[in-house]
């Protein structure tokens, strides 16, 4: 598999690019709920889970309108499940595992061209210590661009077996669980494509605790959410 791993670095850049967003369903509004047995799950029409983790809904979330109709005023007021904008967001569940989604780009990223990536994100965690949550999220969250659809079972297994080492200077290093837990934060950065890419993969690339077997098991630990994802080409002079 040939791909570029572009890990989130919280370097804020001031330039803007007024061009087409290459992300299909950038607000993750294609979420839907479905029933299997006695449990309710969620999925997205335009985003495929690459981790095969059962995505169990929490009182209708991440469909926020459904959550509002089911939840108590006490929980609603905490805003844990409130999107940054719109009615939904890309959501993990509480898990200690690698947890990824894939989307197909509207237009192919082209080698040598410059692009700008922006997104709002919210990280959270409980039960595990603050240090473990902070350290793991600062090492493991990111974005991957790939030429190939990785959603078949063989590619999923290869991807989940892949060892990923994130260079310190381009990994998240400003997330602080004590200050930032369950708060929407903004990320912005620019990059030059090293190849042509048709797909974007987003989520937690590292196993958030050691010695976790594949296939993953649902557990307590760390959760993440993304909203308002944008990927645009930057033209000369912008």
């Amino acid at each position: 598999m040939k791909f570029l791993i572009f890990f989130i670095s919280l370097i804020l850049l001031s330039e803007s690019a007024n061009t087409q967003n290459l992300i299909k369903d950038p607000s993750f509004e294609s979420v839907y709920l479905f029933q299997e047995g006695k449990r309710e799950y969620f999925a997205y029409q335009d985003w495929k889970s690459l981790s095969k983790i059962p995505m169990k809904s929490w009182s209708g979330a991440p469909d926020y309108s459904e959550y509002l109709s089911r939840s108590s005023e006490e929980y609603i007021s905490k805003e844990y499940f409130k999107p940054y904008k719109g009615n939904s967001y890309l959501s993990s569940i509480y898990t200690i595992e690698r947890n990824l989604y894939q989307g197909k780009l509207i237009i192919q990223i082209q080698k040598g061209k410059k692009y700008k990536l922006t997104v709002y994100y919210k990280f959270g965690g409980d039960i595990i210590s603050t240090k473990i949550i902070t350290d793991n999220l600062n090492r493991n969250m990111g974005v991957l661009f790939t030429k190939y659809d990785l959603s078949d079972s063989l590619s999923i297994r290869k991807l989940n077996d892949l060892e990923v080492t994130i260079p310190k200077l381009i990994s998240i290093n400003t997330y602080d669980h004590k200050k930032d837990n369950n708060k929407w934060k903004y990320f912005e950065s620019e990059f030059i494509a090293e190849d042509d890419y048709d797909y974007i993969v987003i989520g937690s690339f590292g196993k958030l605790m050691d010695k976790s077997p594949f296939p993953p098991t649902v557990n307590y630990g760390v959760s993440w959410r993304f909203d308002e994802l944008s990927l645009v080409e930057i033209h000369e002079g912008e």
Side-chain angles (χ1 to χ4, degrees):
M1 293 187 294
K2 186 174 183 180
F3 51 77
L4 164 69
I5 298 177
F6 173 69
F7 284 91
I8 295 174
S9 57
L10 296 181
I11 301 173
L12 300 183
L13 303 170
S14 60
E15 295 181 359
S16 62
N18 297 316
T19 56
Q20 179 185 9
N21 189 354
L22 305 184
I23 304 295
K24 186 177 182 181
D25 188 24
S27 298
F28 311 104
E29 299 294 310
S30 65
V31 69
Y32 62 93
L33 305 174
F34 62 97
Q35 200 81 19
E36 282 190 3
K38 297 181 179 180
R39 297 304 301 265
E40 184 177 56
Y41 299 88
F42 68 91
Y44 302 85
Q45 293 180 2
D46 298 318
W47 294 88
K48 297 179 180 179
S49 171
L50 299 184
S51 302
K52 300 304 182 185
I53 298 174
M55 296 299 178
K56 296 179 182 178
S57 174
W58 181 274
S59 297
D63 184 328
Y64 194 58
S65 60
E66 195 66 36
Y67 172 75
L68 290 176
S69 70
R70 300 185 193 182
S71 192
S72 68
E73 288 296 328
E74 178 186 358
Y75 279 102
I76 291 171
S77 66
K78 296 179 186 297
E79 299 189 346
Y80 290 157
F81 298 99
K82 185 177 181 180
Y84 176 77
K85 188 177 180 180
N87 186 59
S88 185
Y89 43 81
L90 191 68
S91 178
S92 72
I93 56 170
Y94 277 84
T95 177
I96 60 175
E97 299 290 347
R98 185 170 293 181
N99 196 336
L100 302 165
Y101 284 96
Q102 174 186 277
K104 192 174 190 307
L105 298 175
I106 294 174
I107 299 174
Q108 182 187 71
I109 285 180
Q110 296 182 347
K111 181 178 180 179
K113 290 188 176 181
K114 190 175 184 180
Y115 296 88
K116 180 178 179 179
L117 178 71
T118 64
V119 71
Y120 288 87
Y121 67 93
K122 181 190 282 190
F123 299 156
D126 59 13
I127 301 178
I128 303 172
S129 74
T130 291
K131 185 177 187 307
I132 291 175
I133 293 171
T134 298
D135 289 349
N136 284 328
L137 284 171
N138 280 336
R139 286 202 309 266
N140 292 315
M141 300 305 300
V143 172
L144 174 152
F145 294 103
T146 175
K147 305 183 85 162
Y148 309 109
D149 183 351
L150 302 179
S151 62
D152 64 277
S153 59
L154 180 59
S155 294
I156 287 174
R157 181 167 290 279
K158 287 182 178 178
L159 179 61
N160 280 276
D161 286 340
L162 180 67
E163 293 294 330
V164 178
T165 301
I166 309 172
K168 183 176 181 181
L169 294 177
I170 58 172
S171 65
I172 291 179
N173 55 21
T174 61
Y175 176 78
D176 185 327
H177 178 61
K178 286 184 178 179
K179 295 187 300 183
D180 302 330
N181 190 39
N182 283 310
K183 295 179 181 178
W184 284 108
K185 295 178 69 68
Y186 178 70
F187 159 72
E188 177 178 332
S189 194
E190 298 176 2
F191 68 98
I192 296 175
E194 295 183 355
D195 208 332
D196 299 336
Y197 301 106
D198 294 289
Y199 296 89
I200 182 172
V201 178
I202 187 169
S204 52
F205 285 84
K207 294 182 178 180
L208 299 179
M209 291 181 67
D210 293 335
K211 300 179 181 178
S212 301
F214 186 86
T217 55
V218 178
N219 210 322
Y220 61 82
V222 175
S223 69
W224 51 256
R225 291 156 201 166
F226 292 99
D227 205 354
E228 298 301 304
L229 176 63
S230 175
L231 176 67
V232 297
E233 181 184 347
I234 297 176
H235 301 283
E236 189 174 349
E238 291 182 333

